[in-house]
Amino acid sequence: MPQKSYKTFTEARKYIHLQKFRNRKAFVKWAKSNKKPKNIPTNPNSIYKKDWKDWGDFLGTGNKKNSELSKGFLPFNKARIKVRKAHLKNKHEFYLWSKKHKDIPVSADFYYKKKEAWTNWIDFLGTKKFSPLQRSKTFWFYKKAKSYVRKLKLGGKKEYELWAKNELNISLGKVNLPKFPIGKLPFDPFVVYKKNWKSFNDFLGTNNLAFYQKKYCSFSIAYRWIRRLNKYKTLIDSEVTYKEYSKESKRYEKFKIIPKGKFKGLKVKPVNIPDNPKKVYQDQWRDWEFFLLFVTPKLEPMNYRNYKKACLFAKNLKLNGQREWKDYCKASDMAIQQKLSKIKKEKFKGLPLKPVDIPKAVYNHYKIFQNENFNWGEFLGTKNIQNQKKNYRDYKKAKTFIKSLKLKSQKEWNDYCRVSKKYKHLKKIPDGKFKGLKVKPIDIPSGVNRTYKKNFKGFGELLGIKNLSSLKRK
């Protein structure tokens, strides 16, 4: 008997049918939450033992256990006789046929293997194992199959396989296609038509080529062609917009100019310019800024201001790195579109707009075109130098400075390096644990063990402490 505080079985079942749970897991989640009323149990299968049938009945899903489903299947010998009478030729034909016959499992090999009756598909279907040449006698000749398939205008290999499984209409919405002619067209034409086979693109009549089969123009021709597009309209300014443009040009490949949409008026991209230039031109690739670099008609590269004057403007902005410069350029472009005199974005609020005579792609212009010794630390006034280009002091001199700090462990050294980054514009650290210590000079690295590999013997020796690690004592 159910407890007094709980509802009766019928009342509880009606209430839970209204909740529309998909399965038992969904019910358990709901039962653990605060939404469940107190008069419905968390374990109804134990409380309503007398009236209980199964979870499918209680939840209203109608789902049954695999053991209950298997009760309706025929035994192996009877199932094999029934299947052999259907004269099915392969596993794919059986898969389509078994959907209509519920007394035989779809995955017959998996179901009958458990009962140790299964041998193989040839024995189960009653077919002989034919070679591709023998199989081709039952199917259409290659030319006939090819001409039949080309009329359907399938997009590629995936569409052909979906059509063979009768799933193409559902997935792609192609309603007017005929049913797959079983026994006349093979599911694996590349095996049956091995002698005449070239590729699926040739078989289906599509112009799609594999990545390695396409012939592209050189890197210099590709980026010059795209830069000409950006000369008058700066629509393609990033990787995302380039991919959108390549999709639109595929859509209107029969036209010379794109008639509609975002890229209206631009020329259609030629076939010999790749959709993924970064992958095709791996050896020559620099970055997307260089590939899509544009020159406006009003301003040519020679009219940009000098490198020194550009540095003076950039230093006054007090930006921290290359990323902030890119974000600042985007923010200034947004402000120009809104016809504002200053930037309103929170990060760069109050900063002046970027002048027209300073390029966005600063590195490409000053380093590549004008051969200047460009450096982001010098340009933005951060004084940051790349680790490869830094000239560090000798190990002995670095060691004497580090010993003077009187630090006790490697952790303290790492913390000291982090704090000195904050106060790099000062001579001494003003606050905190390391108050009064000198700020770490630029010519001493934070990763001492990496830069001084040959001379480095351990942090105990470097910091002037006796407590070395157990390995170094030995």
Side-chain angles (χ1 to χ4, degrees):
M1 290 289 290
Q3 291 181 13
K4 291 179 182 178
S5 58
Y6 295 130
K7 287 184 177 184
T8 58
F9 177 73
T10 52
E11 287 174 355
R13 188 171 61 177
K14 279 180 184 178
Y15 180 80
I16 283 161
H17 281 195
L18 295 170
Q19 303 301 320
K20 295 181 180 179
F21 295 114
R22 289 184 178 180
N23 48 32
R24 186 180 173 182
K25 283 183 182 179
F27 172 80
V28 170
K29 279 185 182 179
W30 176 77
K32 286 178 181 178
S33 65
N34 297 324
K35 293 178 182 178
K36 185 187 78 65
K38 291 180 180 179
N39 56 2
I40 287 172
T42 52
N43 53 347
N45 53 341
S46 60
I47 287 168
Y48 303 122
K49 267 186 180 180
K50 289 183 178 179
D51 302 316
W52 186 263
K53 291 181 182 178
D54 54 18
W55 281 100
D57 173 61
F58 186 70
L59 300 174
T61 57
N63 297 334
K64 293 182 180 180
K65 294 180 182 178
N66 291 329
S67 59
E68 289 179 4
L69 284 169
S70 62
K71 288 176 184 177
F73 294 140
L74 294 170
F76 178 73
N77 291 327
K78 288 183 179 180
R80 187 169 58 178
I81 291 161
K82 189 176 180 180
V83 170
R84 283 183 178 182
K85 284 178 181 177
H87 300 290
L88 304 170
K89 292 177 183 177
N90 51 35
K91 187 182 173 181
H92 174 62
E93 286 186 17
F94 171 78
Y95 174 74
L96 298 171
W97 177 81
S98 62
K99 284 183 178 180
K100 296 175 183 178
H101 302 271
K102 293 182 179 180
D103 55 346
I104 291 169
V106 177
S107 54
D109 53 344
F110 179 76
Y111 176 72
Y112 292 118
K113 260 183 190 177
K114 289 182 179 179
K115 299 189 176 183
E116 299 179 356
W118 183 264
T119 50
N120 52 37
W121 280 103
I122 296 160
D123 171 62
F124 187 67
L125 300 173
T127 55
K128 294 178 182 179
K129 195 174 182 181
F130 294 114
S131 66
L133 286 169
Q134 289 172 328
R135 280 177 67 198
S136 63
K137 290 176 183 178
T138 59
F139 296 117
W140 285 333
F141 291 111
Y142 179 71
K143 287 183 180 179
K144 191 178 180 181
K146 191 177 177 181
S147 63
Y148 180 80
V149 171
R150 281 191 173 188
K151 288 174 185 176
L152 303 174
K153 295 180 180 179
L154 297 168
K157 185 185 175 182
K158 283 185 180 178
E159 284 193 16
Y160 181 84
E161 287 175 353
L162 288 168
W163 176 56
K165 291 176 182 177
N166 291 332
E167 293 174 4
L168 187 64
N169 298 342
I170 301 161
S171 60
L172 297 172
K174 294 191 176 183
V175 182
N176 298 324
L177 283 174
K179 285 186 178 180
F180 185 79
I182 297 165
K184 294 178 181 179
L185 267 179
F187 182 71
D188 47 358
F190 52 90
V191 177
V192 175
Y193 305 122
K194 198 175 182 181
K195 284 187 177 180
N196 302 316
W197 188 259
K198 292 179 182 178
S199 64
F200 260 102
N201 296 316
D202 174 63
F203 185 66
L204 301 172
T206 56
N207 295 321
N208 301 328
L209 291 171
F211 172 75
Y212 59 87
Q213 292 174 331
K214 291 180 182 178
K215 292 180 180 179
Y216 297 113
C217 62
S218 63
F219 178 67
S220 59
I221 292 167
Y223 78 72
R224 280 172 190 167
W225 192 89
I226 284 157
R227 283 180 184 183
R228 282 173 200 162
L229 285 179
N230 278 332
K231 194 171 183 180
Y232 302 104
K233 285 188 177 183
T234 59
L235 294 170
I236 307 165
D237 57 352
S238 64
E239 185 182 355
V240 176
T241 50
Y242 180 80
K243 285 179 179 178
E244 286 174 3
Y245 166 69
S246 61
K247 280 181 183 177
E248 286 292 311
S249 56
K250 270 186 182 179
R251 190 180 174 187
Y252 300 108
E253 61 185 354
K254 293 178 181 179
F255 299 88
K256 290 183 179 180
I257 293 167
I258 295 168
K260 293 179 183 179
K262 186 180 177 181
F263 305 100
K264 187 180 178 181
L266 289 181
K267 286 183 180 179
V268 173
K269 184 175 71 62
V271 182
N272 61 350
I273 291 173
D275 296 336
N276 51 353
K278 192 176 179 180
K279 192 176 180 181
V280 176
Y281 307 119
Q282 282 179 0
D283 301 331
Q284 299 165 323
W285 186 258
R286 294 178 188 175
D287 55 8
W288 281 100
E289 281 183 7
F290 178 81
F291 188 72
L292 304 171
L293 184 69
F294 60 88
V295 180
T296 54
K298 294 178 182 178
L299 191 68
E300 294 180 357
M302 295 300 290
N303 293 336
Y304 286 124
R305 66 174 72 175
N306 293 332
Y307 178 62
K308 289 180 180 179
K309 290 180 180 179
C311 283
L312 288 169
F313 175 80
K315 282 174 185 177
N316 293 328
L317 298 172
K318 294 180 182 180
L319 302 172
N320 291 326
Q322 186 181 352
R323 284 184 183 177
E324 283 198 8
W325 170 257
K326 286 180 181 178
D327 294 337
Y328 163 74
C329 291
K330 285 178 184 177
S332 63
D333 287 343
M334 289 288 287
I336 289 162
Q337 286 176 7
Q338 292 171 7
K339 296 179 180 181
L340 301 171
S341 57
K342 286 186 178 181
I343 297 167
K344 279 191 172 182
K345 199 175 181 182
E346 289 182 5
K347 196 176 182 182
F348 309 104
K349 196 173 182 180
L351 290 178
L353 300 172
K354 186 183 75 63
V356 185
D357 57 350
I358 293 174
K360 291 179 189 177
V362 188
Y363 177 85
N364 290 332
H365 180 72
Y366 292 114
K367 180 79 176 174
I368 296 164
F369 294 117
Q370 292 190 357
N371 296 321
E372 294 281 351
N373 291 323
F374 182 83
N375 187 4
W376 280 105
E378 184 189 358
F379 179 70
L380 298 172
T382 56
K383 296 181 181 179
N384 295 333
I385 305 165
Q386 291 178 1
N387 292 328
Q388 299 168 354
K389 295 179 181 179
K390 284 179 182 177
N391 294 321
Y392 295 115
R393 63 176 74 175
D394 295 335
Y395 179 69
K396 288 180 181 179
K397 290 179 181 179
K399 188 179 173 182
T400 52
F401 175 80
I402 292 163
K403 275 186 178 180
S404 67
L405 299 170
K406 296 179 181 180
L407 301 172
K408 294 179 182 179
S409 63
Q410 186 183 350
K411 281 185 180 180
E412 282 194 9
W413 166 253
N414 292 331
D415 294 336
Y416 165 75
C417 292
R418 284 170 196 160
V419 173
S420 58
K421 268 188 183 179
K422 288 182 182 179
Y423 303 108
K424 62 184 175 183
H425 57 284
L426 301 173
K427 290 183 179 180
K428 289 185 178 181
I429 296 165
D431 299 327
K433 189 180 177 181
F434 307 103
K435 187 180 178 181
L437 291 178
K438 288 181 180 179
V439 174
K440 185 179 74 65
I442 297 166
D443 57 349
I444 292 173
S446 55
V448 186
N449 52 344
R450 292 174 188 171
T451 48
Y452 304 119
K453 267 186 181 179
K454 292 179 181 179
N455 302 315
F456 185 75
K457 293 178 183 178
F459 275 96
E461 189 261 336
L462 181 70
L463 300 170
I465 304 165
K466 292 180 181 179
N467 58 340
L468 296 168
S469 62
S470 60
L471 290 168
K472 300 226 169 131
R473 281 177 193 172
K474 291 177 184 178

